[in-house]
Amino acid sequence: MAPRRAPDWSWRFLALAAVYFGAAKLGLMLAFVNASATAVWPPTGIALASMVLLGPRVWPAILLGAFLANVTTAGNLWTSLGIAAGNTLEGLLGAFLVTRFANGRNAFERAEDIFRFGVAGLASTMVSATIGVTVLTLGGYASWSIYGAIWSTWWLGDLAGALVVAPVLILWGRRAPDLRRGDVVGLALLLATLVAAGFIVFNGLLAPWVTNQPLEFLCIPALLWAAFRYRQRGAATSLAVLTGIAVWGTLHGLGPFVRETQNESLLLLQAFMATLAMTVLPLAAVVRERTRAEEGLARLASIVESSDDAIVGKTLDGTITSWNRGAERLYGYAASEVVGRPLSIIIPPELADELSEILERLKRGAPMENYETVRLRRDGTRVSVSVTVSATRDAYGRITGGSSIARDIEHRKEIEAARRERDVLRSVAGLAAAAGHEINNPLAVVMGQAQLLARQANGGERRRIDEMLEAVWRIRGIVDRMKHINKIVLLDGSENLPVMLDLMKSSPPPDVDGRS
């Protein structure tokens, strides 16, 4: 078999560098405070997403794309190389932080990981802004007097790219979802609603009645719809679409974030979008976590409900809160009859102290495992059960009640009693066989002497000796049967002793000749 060839990454690196270069040139078209600093910088999201999905090995592609974008815009070879190095380091640091602290490519599965992703983006973009602005200033392409203005523009543009563009690429870079026909229709309606809200707020769709009014809150319902219905992937995509509409409208002097300069307008807009990203994405993750939790609870409830064991939930004061079908079969009560009633309805009166002990141990959180006891059925009969009791806790770890699992051991008890009876009978059988052997020898002596006396006696004495011999023959017959006992089998439903151990049945009437 021919050795498997390693994938050729050269064309992938070139493709990634080309995409980065194109996005960078597009962002630099909106550079107003400095030719190399813009408030709209999607390449940060591209670099971060590619390094999270593909690993840090793609850094040469990011370095090449960033260098070409800067060297063809402003500055010299060395400033372009320094800025490209800062952009590359930004991606490497961001990907390292996301992978190390925010669960890597699964960073958007949990709300806490999304916040960590935001912190990683916040920190890594500061590195790029600091290196880039410092290089420009030292190279003479920026003034120290506006260092802060350029730095804030650079940093906020990169941060928006990390929080708006990177989530879309990471979420869609994983396995694509299977869309059903209903999902496609819903996505179309969501897109139409989102575009309509974006054009009303940022593009003056309702002008001249509404122009540059603070209506940005109108975008939130569509984003919430995306978060609740289509989870993280839908929320991130909707936010990216809305950002594109908002940037276009703001550049044309429309929308609630328009100020005296376009750079200031874009900074306000990007701050708003970054805030929306850190609000909508965690919300979508929480919705997804809740859905998974509900699915897990449904599976657990199905398992509990179908269990053959009686599983009963109760409060700390002994009130029944749940009652599965196994409990219905074991105790005879329907769930609707017992939920809300005290647990004492299934506990015999003489075991009332047992319930108090159970509740006291529950309050301390001490489990009770596999103890055998007796419970009452609805018809008043008693059933032997093996019970395990454990405490139930809320999300904060506080004990709120208890759960008991009871298993019917009545059949096991019957088997154990039968085994004990069988063992007793085996002992009796062994003893009987041994006794038969021990009695046989002296009995033979008695019989021989009686037969000698019978030959010498006459009349009434002979009659008494014959009665004695008749009794001896009966005893000998019993002894002979006792000597042959070697096994006793207890059959189901057997209530009487074996015939061999019943003296009334083991002594049949004598034969005609006086022997058994």
Side-chain angles (χ1 to χ4, degrees):
M1 180 181 293
R4 187 175 181 180
R5 296 180 60 186
D8 184 9
W9 282 89
S10 57
W11 67 270
R12 300 186 183 185
F13 285 165
L14 292 176
L16 179 57
V19 171
Y20 189 97
F21 173 80
K25 297 300 288 186
L26 182 63
L28 290 174
M29 292 174 60
L30 306 179
F32 301 110
V33 69
N34 183 277
S36 298
T38 173
V40 180
W41 190 247
T44 294
I46 296 173
L48 180 57
S50 62
M51 291 186 181
V52 169
L53 294 174
L54 303 177
R57 61 186 170 185
V58 300
W59 70 266
I62 303 301
L63 181 65
L64 177 61
F67 173 76
L68 293 177
N70 283 278
V71 79
T72 58
T73 300
N76 55 37
L77 180 65
W78 298 109
T79 58
S80 299
L81 187 60
I83 294 173
N87 291 335
T88 305
L89 182 60
E90 172 189 66
L92 288 171
L93 177 60
F96 168 77
L97 294 175
V98 170
T99 303
R100 178 66 177 82
F101 300 104
N103 206 16
R105 62 171 55 203
N106 297 317
F108 301 98
E109 295 298 317
R110 300 186 304 170
E112 59 182 295
D113 289 335
I114 294 178
F115 287 118
R116 292 173 181 171
F117 179 90
V119 173
L122 189 73
S124 61
T125 52
M126 289 182 177
V127 173
S128 176
T130 302
I131 294 176
V133 179
T134 302
V135 167
L136 285 176
T137 305
L138 293 176
Y141 293 95
S143 173
W144 288 102
S145 62
I146 58 172
Y147 185 99
I150 300 175
W151 189 94
S152 60
T153 300
W154 193 308
W155 170 70
L156 194 54
D158 284 15
L159 179 62
L163 299 183
V164 176
V165 178
V168 179
L169 298 178
I170 292 174
L171 288 167
W172 285 99
R174 303 186 304 172
R175 179 180 177 272
D178 297 327
L179 295 179
R180 296 172 295 181
R181 184 175 181 180
D183 293 332
V184 174
V185 174
L187 284 171
L189 290 175
L190 172 61
L191 181 61
T193 304
L194 190 66
V195 170
F199 273 85
I200 290 174
V201 175
F202 298 104
N203 289 273
L205 182 62
L206 299 181
W209 302 281
V210 177
T211 304
N212 295 349
Q213 297 298 319
L215 300 177
E216 58 271 19
F217 60 87
L218 293 179
C219 303
I220 296 178
L223 294 175
L224 292 179
W225 179 10
F228 277 90
R229 180 65 180 85
Y230 300 103
R231 309 294 187 264
Q232 300 95 313
R233 192 178 272 119
T237 305
S238 299
L239 185 63
V241 171
L242 181 63
T243 300
I245 297 173
V247 169
W248 188 88
T250 302
L251 289 174
H252 288 77
L254 299 172
F257 299 106
V258 174
R259 295 296 184 269
E260 294 181 0
T261 64
Q262 288 185 315
N263 190 68
E264 183 181 359
S265 302
L266 289 176
L267 288 177
L268 289 174
L269 174 64
Q270 294 292 64
F272 175 69
M273 289 303 171
T275 303
L276 279 183
M278 295 308 299
T279 302
V280 176
L281 291 177
L283 176 62
V286 169
V287 172
R288 178 58 179 159
E289 289 181 48
R290 180 180 178 84
T291 301
R292 289 177 177 172
E294 290 176 349
E295 292 172 353
L297 289 175
R299 287 193 297 269
L300 181 60
S302 176
I303 294 172
V304 170
E305 190 64 21
S306 61
S307 174
D308 290 333
D309 295 334
I311 302 177
V312 179
K314 49 186 168 291
T315 61
L316 292 178
D317 61 358
T319 302
I320 298 172
T321 57
S322 63
W323 187 270
N324 74 334
R325 292 181 183 177
E328 292 181 352
R329 289 189 293 268
L330 181 61
Y331 299 123
Y333 292 97
S336 58
E337 296 178 298
V338 294
V339 172
R341 296 180 63 183
L343 190 64
S344 57
I345 62 173
I346 61 172
I347 297 180
E350 66 273 15
L351 298 179
D353 293 340
E354 179 183 304
L355 178 59
S356 301
E357 180 183 356
I358 292 174
L359 296 178
E360 185 61 31
R361 295 192 64 170
L362 276 180
K363 293 176 183 178
R364 300 197 309 267
M368 301 178 65
E369 297 182 358
N370 297 328
Y371 74 94
E372 296 182 1
T373 185
V374 178
R375 291 290 182 261
L376 283 177
R377 290 191 174 104
R378 181 176 183 177
D379 59 5
T381 60
R382 303 191 175 207
V383 56
S384 298
V385 293
S386 174
V387 182
T388 297
V389 182
S390 58
T392 56
R393 303 176 184 269
D394 60 15
Y396 302 99
R398 296 173 300 193
I399 298 174
T400 58
S403 174
S404 63
I405 303 175
R407 176 167 295 180
D408 185 358
I409 58 173
E410 194 70 28
H411 183 60
R412 195 189 80 189
K413 288 285 188 181
E414 294 175 356
I415 293 175
E416 290 176 353
R419 286 175 177 172
R420 286 194 297 269
E421 184 176 352
R422 180 193 63 192
D423 293 340
V424 170
L425 291 177
R426 281 179 175 173
S427 299
V428 172
L431 179 61
H437 285 287
E438 294 296 329
I439 295 174
N440 187 59
N441 292 332
L443 186 62
V445 175
V446 172
M447 182 177 291
Q449 293 297 328
Q451 290 174 344
L452 292 176
L453 290 175
R455 294 193 187 105
Q456 299 173 3
N458 51 31
E461 293 178 355
R462 175 64 181 267
R463 187 170 51 255
R464 286 194 293 274
I465 292 174
D466 288 339
E467 291 176 356
M468 292 172 59
L469 285 173
E470 178 183 350
V472 169
W473 277 108
R474 292 180 61 191
I475 294 173
R476 185 173 182 179
I478 295 173
V479 170
D480 287 341
R481 287 191 290 270
M482 289 174 64
K483 289 192 297 182
H484 290 86
I485 295 176
N486 56 20
K487 182 179 181 182
I488 294 179
V489 178
L490 184 65
L491 301 177
D492 292 340
S494 177
E495 297 179 356
N496 300 320
L497 289 173
V499 175
M500 187 59 63
L501 300 180
D502 191 337
L503 294 179
M504 298 298 296
K505 296 180 180 180
S506 65
S507 302
D511 294 336
V512 178
D513 60 356
R515 299 181 181 181
S516 62

